């Protein structure tokens, strides 16, 4: 073995030690920052959960106790006894399911031709639609309310869902996903005699599952947490979804924070479950939208 080879071999462990030291330094800086970010992000939710598990006396204890002592689940039971929470949950499930299905269907049918079909004014239509995203949601409330009244949908769950049945952001997200689908798959389907709707339903939609999961998560959160619009449209409080119902609980039991915290935790659980189920598809969908 030559002297040059021996020299190179002797230098390799040194470079490895330097690289290992760099990794350790990065870990020392990065992990505390990630831990701090996690604490800041989850802190309010963990404190809310802690309050929901406390008795009424422990909430006002000084100094404040983060870990409840004793831990009680009675607050969750009492919330169901104080108000017809199951009815409100049922209203919310119906409203959210209807809203997500309508939004997903209409947005996909709108995004597909804007992404895959060529016709005059396609880009102008898309840019015009995207430009409306700068308008605040409150700007259309009066028009939406008058429209709902004229259609005879006042005081109905469909009246709550219909103004949000399509979202420009979701159209944009699905359009970007449709653009990323390879043209070869579409051409192969056309050669085999597939029609436009067959291509859309059997090829395009399955290829953009991550983007669809992203839309489902966003829509689920929006409809599940809807607060102002249901109060405007629904005159009968028995038809309220969970958000306005919990607001009603807050106004009547402002002194009992454990009940309010327990009701809020109950309303948050479905969102957490949906996100945990679709989180991988959600991340892939957001990455695909950015690349597109």
């Amino acid at each position: 073995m030559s002297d040059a080879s021996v020299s190179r071999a002797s230098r390799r462990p040194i470079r490895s030690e330097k690289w290992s030291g760099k990794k350790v330094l990065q870990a020392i800086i990065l992990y505390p920052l990630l831990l701090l970010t996690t604490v800041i992000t989850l802190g309010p939710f963990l404190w809310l959960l802690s309050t929901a598990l406390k008795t009424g006396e422990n909430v006002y204890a000084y100094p404040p106790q983060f870990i409840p002592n004793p831990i009680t689940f009675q607050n969750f039971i009492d919330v169901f006894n104080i108000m017809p929470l199951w009815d409100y949950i049922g209203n919310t499930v119906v409203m959210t399911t209807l809203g997500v299905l309508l939004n997903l269907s209409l947005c996909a049918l709108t995004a597909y031709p804007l992404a895959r079909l060529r016709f005059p004014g396609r880009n102008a239509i898309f840019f015009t639609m995207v430009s409306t995203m700068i308008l605040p949601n409150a700007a259309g409330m009066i028009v939406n309310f008058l429209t709902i009244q004229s259609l005879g949908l006042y005081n109905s769950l469909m009246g709550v869902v219909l103004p949000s049945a399509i979202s420009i952001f979701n159209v944009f997200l699905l359009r970007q996903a449709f653009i990323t689908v390879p043209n070869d798959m579409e051409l192969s389907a056309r050669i085999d005699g597939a029609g436009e709707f067959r291509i859309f339903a059997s090829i395009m939609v399955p290829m953009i599952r991550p983007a669809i999961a992203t839309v489902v998560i966003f829509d689920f959160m929006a409809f599940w947490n809807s607060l102002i619009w249901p109060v405007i449209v629904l005159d009968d409080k028995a038809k309220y979804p969970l958000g306005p119902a919990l607001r009603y609980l807050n106004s009547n039991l402002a002194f009992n924070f454990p009940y309010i915290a327990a009701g809020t935790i109950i309303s948050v659980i479905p969102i957490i479950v949906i996100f945990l189920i679709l989180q991988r598809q959600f991340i892939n969908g957001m990455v695909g939208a950015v690349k597109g």
Side-chain angles (χ1 to χ4, degrees):
M1 182 180 294
S2 64
D3 294 340
S5 301
V6 173
S7 178
R8 284 195 299 269
S10 62
R11 285 199 299 268
R12 286 173 186 170
I14 298 177
R15 283 204 298 265
S16 177
E17 290 177 1
K18 289 182 179 179
W19 179 251
S20 177
K22 183 179 179 180
K23 288 286 187 180
V24 171
L25 181 61
Q26 288 178 346
I28 292 175
I29 298 174
L30 183 61
Y31 284 108
L33 290 177
L34 293 175
L35 181 61
L36 178 62
T37 303
T38 303
V39 171
I40 294 174
T41 304
L42 295 179
F45 176 79
L46 295 178
W47 185 262
L48 188 70
L49 179 61
S50 172
T51 303
L53 297 175
K54 292 179 181 178
T55 61
E57 297 79 9
N58 290 342
V59 173
Y60 302 100
Y62 186 83
Q65 298 177 352
F66 182 77
I67 300 177
N69 186 21
I71 295 177
T72 178
F73 292 92
Q74 187 63 36
N75 297 321
F76 294 91
I77 300 174
D78 291 342
V79 168
F80 283 94
N81 295 329
I82 292 172
M83 58 191 303
L85 201 60
W86 283 118
D87 295 338
Y88 296 132
I89 292 175
N91 296 337
T92 310
V93 170
V94 172
M95 184 187 74
T96 303
T97 303
L98 185 61
V100 170
L101 292 177
L102 276 176
N103 206 303
L104 185 60
S105 301
L106 295 177
C107 289
L109 290 171
T110 304
Y112 175 72
L114 292 174
R116 309 298 301 192
L117 304 182
R118 297 189 177 275
F119 54 89
R122 183 185 68 169
N123 292 333
I125 293 173
F126 174 70
F127 290 132
T128 302
M129 293 174 60
V130 172
S131 65
T132 61
M133 294 175 64
I134 65 174
L135 298 175
N137 293 331
M141 278 192 175
I142 296 177
V143 176
N144 290 335
F145 181 78
L146 295 176
T147 303
I148 292 301
Q149 271 194 327
S150 64
L151 293 175
L153 297 176
Y154 180 73
N155 198 30
S156 67
L157 291 179
M158 180 57 74
V160 178
V161 171
L162 192 59
S164 303
I166 189 167
S167 169
I168 302 301
F169 176 77
N170 291 342
V171 172
F172 168 78
L173 188 65
L174 293 178
R175 176 184 178 271
Q176 298 304 106
F178 279 128
I179 290 176
T180 61
V181 178
N183 292 328
D184 294 342
M185 301 189 66
E186 181 181 354
L187 293 175
S188 299
R190 293 189 188 280
I191 292 173
D192 292 337
E196 203 66 56
F197 185 79
R198 179 69 181 275
I199 295 173
F200 166 76
S202 301
I203 296 177
M204 293 298 174
V205 171
M207 291 294 294
I208 62 166
R209 283 194 300 268
I212 290 175
T214 304
V215 170
V216 169
I217 290 175
F218 283 154
D219 283 350
F220 187 92
M221 292 173 54
F223 284 105
W224 190 270
N225 294 325
S226 183
L227 177 62
I228 298 177
W229 182 246
V231 175
I232 295 175
V233 175
L234 298 176
D235 189 38
D236 185 3
K237 291 184 179 180
K239 297 181 180 180
Y240 275 2
L242 202 53
L246 291 177
R247 181 62 182 171
Y248 173 78
L249 176 66
N250 187 13
S251 61
N252 285 271
L253 296 173
F255 63 92
N256 200 319
F257 293 109
Y259 285 172
I260 299 170
T264 305
I265 291 295
I266 292 171
S267 69
V268 169
I269 289 176
I271 298 176
I272 297 176
V273 172
I274 290 295
F275 180 78
L276 291 177
I277 293 174
L278 301 176
Q279 61 174 331
R280 180 174 298 180
Q281 299 288 343
F282 171 76
I283 295 172
N284 293 336
M286 295 303 296
V287 172
V290 173
K291 289 182 178 179

